[in-house]
Amino acid sequence: HLSTVACVTCHITQVAIREATKTHWDWSQAGQDLPEDAHEYLKKKGRFEYEAGLVPEYHWFNGRGDRYLLGDTIDPDVATELNPPLGGIEDPEARIWPFKIHRATQIYDTEYRTLMVPQTVGEGAYWESFDWDQALRMGSVASGLPYSGSYGFANTVMYWPLSHMVQPAGNALQCRDCHSPQGRMDWQGLGYPGDPAS
């Protein structure tokens, strides 16, 4: 296992053990006059999802990653990976690593197909006006990113490699946690034809 599986993969069995962690943030729901709850909905920020006892998701990781840069074009029909980990099954430096995945719905320019930076704070900004178009025009001036005047919302994904909440050996994952029909690994997603132990 040491050549393909990171130590933390077996020793971080869950995250958000004591308190729930945010796993999804939907900006498209902002601006509505709905009952507010810091863990479910805020008019300024939209709708959230939190999860406790979260089982990590697993990806190959060689310690390096890519990143979305301001102005990069996106395909709004698929989730934009903001910081995808690098590595793969053929990479000798990569190991299967546990991640917390944060998913979101963010505003983008439908003509230029770029994620936008709305101005949220200040006179006339979104948290005062709740006007996305105005907030995007202000944000365009501040960021230098062109705005066509047409916007929508697209899904994004952020990968957070886990290295804390390490469990002692007695609480680590056992063989059946990964190598069973209900195991936590997506073997095909990792590039295997099936469970490599079967």
Side-chain angles (χ1 to χ4, degrees):
H1 281 76
L2 294 178
S3 64
T4 55
V5 181
C7 298
V8 289
T9 298
C10 294
H11 287 274
I12 298 176
T13 60
Q14 291 180 323
V15 294
I17 296 171
R18 293 190 184 96
E19 294 185 22
T21 185
K22 187 183 293 180
T23 56
H24 189 263
W25 182 343
D26 187 349
W27 279 96
S28 73
Q29 300 298 307
Q32 303 179 64
D33 292 315
L34 300 172
E36 293 196 318
D37 180 297
H39 290 90
E40 293 184 12
Y41 183 80
L42 292 174
K43 183 176 181 178
K44 287 183 175 182
K45 297 184 177 182
R47 190 169 302 283
F48 315 114
E49 292 177 16
Y50 280 72
E51 198 167 333
L54 180 67
V55 173
E57 295 184 33
Y58 300 94
H59 300 275
W60 290 102
F61 184 42
N62 63 16
R64 297 180 292 276
D66 204 348
R67 72 273 186 217
Y68 176 87
L69 296 177
L70 190 65
D72 286 349
T73 58
I74 68 167
D75 178 353
D77 294 327
V78 299
T80 299
E81 296 181 311
L82 300 179
N83 62 336
L86 296 179
I89 195 169
E90 302 295 336
D91 183 347
E93 296 183 23
R95 303 290 182 272
I96 296 172
W97 195 279
F99 288 82
K100 173 193 165 180
I101 308 299
H102 185 278
R103 294 174 171 87
T105 305
Q106 297 183 232
I107 200 161
Y108 81 103
D109 188 300
T110 57
E111 182 176 324
Y112 294 124
R113 296 190 305 137
T114 53
L115 294 175
M116 296 299 291
V117 184
Q119 185 82 27
T120 55
V121 179
E123 184 178 352
Y126 187 74
W127 289 351
E128 181 181 286
S129 67
F130 296 103
D131 182 332
W132 280 123
D133 181 69
Q134 180 169 300
L136 291 172
R137 292 182 188 282
M138 294 174 68
S140 175
V141 172
S143 68
L145 193 64
Y147 171 49
S148 70
S150 178
Y151 67 87
F153 291 87
N155 294 324
T156 61
V157 179
M158 185 179 291
Y159 296 83
W160 295 4
L162 298 173
S163 59
H164 60 290
M165 291 178 278
V166 172
Q167 297 295 311
N171 295 340
L173 297 179
Q174 301 301 307
C175 299
R176 66 183 175 276
D177 292 312
C178 299
H179 299 289
S180 69
Q182 289 76 40
R184 56 175 63 197
M185 294 290 171
D186 175 5
W187 295 115
Q188 292 186 338
L190 289 167
Y192 294 96
D195 186 339
S198 58

